Amino acid sequence: MIAISNTYGYIRVSTRDQNEDRQLIAMRELSVPEKNIFLDKQSGKDFKRPQYKKLVKKLKPDDLLYIKSIDRLGRNYGEILEQWRILTKEKGIDIVVLDMPLLDTRRGKDLMGTFLSDIVLQVLSFVAENERTNIRQRQAEGIAAAKARGVRFGRPPRPLPENYHSAYQRWKAGAITGTAAAKECGMPLSTFRYRAEIYEKAKLL
C-alpha cells in the first residue's frame, strides 16, 4: 500500500504586534487544507509550542510543509537548524519557505542543491537571531538612557494616607509599634517601613 503524502502549513505570530491574516492567505492560495494549517500565537524564542508539536507528530515521510518565512519557524539560530534537521532528515519531509525560494527542499536533491540549501538556511537563521539580539540590546540601551534622564519605570507609588504623618511620628517616638502604625495606615508592615525610609529621605532633602 502506497502512503499518501499530505501538505501542511505552519503559522506563528506574536500575540503582541502581529496578525496571522497574511500568512493564512498565503497558505490558502497554495490550497493547503484548513485542517492541515497549524497556528501558534507566541514568541519564536523556542519550540515549546503546542500546535508546532502537534504538527510534528502528524508529519510523515514525503509530506510537504509550507512556512511563510524562516523566522516563523523560530528565531534561535541553533534551534532552527536542529528543527530543520529533524524535519528533513528524521521525518523525511520537504519544506518550502515562501519568502525564500532557495529554501525549497524539493529542488536540488543532489549534493550541491543540499549544500546550497544548508548554507542559505544557516545564514538566514543567524540573521534572524542576530536581529533579535540587536533588538534586546537597543531596548536595554534605551531604558538605561531614559533612567539616566530621570525617567522612572513601573507603577507610581500610591499616595500616602492622610494619617501617615501622625502614625509615623508616634512610631518614631516609640509611642506605638510599627505593626500598629501600619494597621492605622491600612498597609502591610513591610510597606509601612519601606515608605518610612522614603519619607525620611524626603525630609532630609
Side-chain angles (χ1 to χ4, degrees), residues 148-175:
R149 294 195 307 270
V151 176
R152 298 183 65 180
F153 292 87
R155 290 182 302 177
R158 294 174 62 182
L160 291 172
E162 291 182 4
N163 66 334
Y164 185 86
H165 178 74
S166 170
Y168 169 82
Q169 292 292 349
R170 284 181 289 129
W171 168 67
K172 287 295 285 184

Side-chain angles (χ1 to χ4, degrees), residues 115-161:
F115 175 73
L116 287 174
S117 180
D118 286 348
I119 289 294
V120 172
L121 174 66
Q122 291 197 38
V123 170
L124 290 177
S125 300
F126 174 77
V127 168
E129 184 180 13
N130 196 51
E131 177 58 20
R132 188 163 160 259
T133 301
N134 288 340
I135 289 171
R136 284 202 304 267
Q137 185 176 342
R138 287 195 294 269
Q139 288 173 337
E141 289 172 353
I143 291 171
K147 284 182 176 178
R149 294 195 307 270
V151 176
R152 298 183 65 180
F153 292 87
R155 290 182 302 177
R158 294 174 62 182
L160 291 172

Side-chain angles (χ1 to χ4, degrees), residues 6-13 20-41 50-56 58-59 64-68 72 98:
N6 292 304
T7 301
Y8 294 89
Y10 178 67
I11 295 171
R12 182 186 63 76
V13 293
E20 69 269 23
D21 290 350
R22 188 173 66 93
Q23 296 178 70
L24 271 172
I25 289 169
M27 298 301 167
R28 287 166 181 161
E29 287 177 348
L30 292 162
S31 300
V32 178
E34 292 287 335
K35 65 182 178 67
N36 288 354
I37 298 175
F38 292 77
L39 166 65
D40 277 312
K41 289 193 173 188
Q51 290 302 306
Y52 180 77
K53 287 182 175 180
K54 192 180 292 185
L55 165 65
V56 173
K58 274 184 167 289
L59 293 171
L64 174 61
L65 173 63
Y66 287 108
I67 57 174
K68 190 77 172 69
R72 297 307 89 200
L98 300 177

